[in-house]
Amino acid sequence: MSALNIKKGSTSHSAYDLRDPHAQANETHTLAVLVDNEAGVLARVIGLFSGRGYNIDSLTVAEVDHAGHRSRITIVTRGTPSVIDQIKAQLGRLVPVHEVHDLTVEGASVERELALFKVAGTGEKRIEALRLAEIFRANVVDSTLESFVFEMTGTPSKIDAFADLMRPLGLIDVARTGVAALSRGV
C-alpha cells in the first residue's frame, strides 16, 4: 500500500495544517537610512541587524551629500510587520542616524540594481544569449571568442529572470550591486 502524499500545511482545511493561524507573514521592506559619513557608522547599523538575528537581503551605501558628510544606506530586509517596525525604531535611535524611511510603506518608489553576467558559449548558445540580452536590454561590455560580459540595470526580479534564462546557456558568474531606491514624486 502506498503512503499518503500529503504536504504539511498545504491547505487551511487539512487536519495536518500545523501553521499558527495567528502568525504574521514575512514581508520584504526597503529601508533608506541617512547617516553621518564617518568611520564605524556602517558597522553600527549592520551590528544592529546581526545582533538581533535579522537578515539583510541587499545593502548599498554611498555618500549623497559631500558638503554635509552624509551617506545613504539602502537596506532590503524581511520580517513580520512587528519586526520591521522594531528595526526602524532601533535604527532611529542610533546616534549617527538622521532619517529612516520605509520606502515600501511610504508610497511609490523606484528600485534598481546593476548586475554583470559572464556567459560562456559558442554556436547556437552564444546566439541565443545575445538574443535574450537584446530582449532584456542588457549591454555587452566585454567579449571574447568564448564568452560575453553583459551589463544590465533593472528591478531585482528582472535581474533574477535574466540570470535564470542565462544558466542553461553557460552562465559562469554574476556580480550584483544591491538595490538602490528612491521614493517617487516630491
Side-chain angles (χ1 to χ4, degrees):
M1 182 168 210
S2 65
L4 292 175
N5 193 10
I6 299 174
K7 293 181 181 176
K8 179 177 150 185
S10 61
T11 173
S12 61
H13 303 293
S14 168
Y16 299 98
D17 184 11
L18 302 177
R19 292 177 289 186
D20 181 1
H22 305 292
Q24 295 177 325
N26 277 347
E27 301 173 348
T28 300
H29 284 253
T30 302
L31 306 176
V33 185
L34 190 65
V35 298
D36 289 332
N37 187 13
E38 58 186 39
V41 172
L42 181 61
R44 280 183 262 169
V45 169
I46 301 312
L48 183 146
F49 280 80
S50 65
R52 289 161 182 80
Y54 304 144
N55 190 41
I56 296 174
D57 293 335
S58 174
L59 174 73
T60 58
V61 183
E63 186 175 56
V64 293
D65 180 5
H66 189 66
H69 302 290
R70 301 264 170 101
S71 290
R72 179 186 183 96
I73 301 173
T74 305
I75 303 166
V76 178
T77 188
R78 275 182 273 166
T80 62
S82 59
V83 166
I84 299 296
D85 288 341
Q86 185 178 23
I87 289 170
K88 292 188 297 189
Q90 291 171 346
L91 281 170
R93 285 195 290 269
L94 291 176
V95 172
V97 172
H98 295 280
E99 297 174 23
V100 178
H101 295 281
D102 186 345
L103 299 177
T104 306
V105 298
E106 290 181 7
S109 63
V110 178
E111 293 185 4
R112 293 293 182 269
E113 186 172 7
L114 172 72
L116 298 173
F117 301 88
K118 186 187 290 184
V119 180
T122 58
E124 288 300 315
K125 286 187 175 184
R126 186 174 175 89
I127 293 167
E128 181 66 10
L130 283 170
R131 190 182 69 73
L132 286 170
E134 186 177 338
I135 291 169
F136 277 82
R137 295 188 176 101
N139 299 315
V140 176
V141 293
D142 185 56
S143 177
T144 68
L145 294 175
E146 298 86 29
S147 68
F148 289 111
V149 174
F150 296 109
E151 172 191 64
M152 188 169 77
T153 304
T155 61
S157 60
K158 179 182 176 183
I159 304 278
D160 291 339
F162 186 71
D164 290 343
L165 290 171
M166 286 294 150
R167 275 190 187 87
L169 300 176
L171 182 65
I172 297 172
D173 204 0
V174 179
R176 297 173 77 154
T177 61
V179 173
L182 285 174
S183 61
R184 293 188 67 205
V186 179

